[in-house]
Amino acid sequence: MTAPVPLPDFALEVASPFVAASGLRVDEYDGAHVRGHVDLGPTQHTPWGVVHGGAHCSIVESAASIGGSAAVSGRGQVAVGVHNATDLIRSTTGGRAEVEALPVHQGRTQQLWQVEVRQEGKLLARGNVRLQNVDASHLS
């Protein structure tokens, strides 16, 4: 039997600089749902003063990966992104945005998650992330 993989602390204060720059704060998560928020602003801006699409892509992939990994951690696995298709719907210059991720499919080897980023109820971005379930021992 494979030992469960402990999930890391998802607090921004202990995250890598890249993950911390996205600003995603995870409010709750499990293997079937991730909810969080992000305070968007100038640190994520393009030269034109709007939030960069890459910030949304990073937020979407992080939320999906957290939920996917929670779903398979008991099997000694983690979920890693293999495809991210994020649609950028509406621009913003900043402010609080809510993030919600839900699984569309959770299989033995792969998962598909859908993530929405909303500000005041309006959709800013929506992404689908395909994740590969891999043995944690293969990552070291």
Side-chain angles (χ1 to χ4, degrees):
M1 175 160 192
T2 305
V5 176
L7 294 170
D9 183 349
F10 297 118
L12 292 181
E13 295 75 18
V14 296
S16 72
F18 180 85
V19 171
S22 78
L24 176 63
R25 293 206 178 266
V26 178
D27 297 322
E28 62 183 50
Y29 72 92
D30 60 29
H33 181 252
V34 176
R35 190 180 60 74
H37 67 276
V38 59
D39 292 315
L40 301 168
T43 60
Q44 297 123 332
H45 278 183
T46 68
W48 299 274
V50 296
V51 174
H52 196 287
H56 289 295
C57 292
S58 295
I59 292 162
V60 164
E61 183 146 347
S62 290
S65 295
I66 289 167
S69 290
V72 298
S73 65
R75 302 190 320 224
Q77 296 180 310
V78 296
V80 298
V82 293
H83 182 74
N84 179 336
T86 298
D87 294 307
L88 309 171
I89 310 298
R90 181 183 313 270
S91 65
T92 184
T93 57
R96 172 77 45 109
E98 303 299 324
V99 179
E100 183 172 34
L102 297 167
V104 175
H105 169 76
Q106 292 180 297
R108 183 178 55 79
T109 60
Q110 289 193 341
Q111 300 180 57
L112 178 63
W113 282 69
Q114 184 172 56
V115 183
E116 292 186 348
V117 181
R118 293 181 175 271
Q119 188 173 49
E120 297 177 3
K122 295 179 181 175
L123 190 60
L124 298 178
R126 182 191 69 187
N128 288 318
V129 179
R130 179 159 302 281
L131 302 164
Q132 183 75 32
N133 303 328
V134 298
D135 289 336
S137 61
H138 292 153
L139 299 178
S140 35

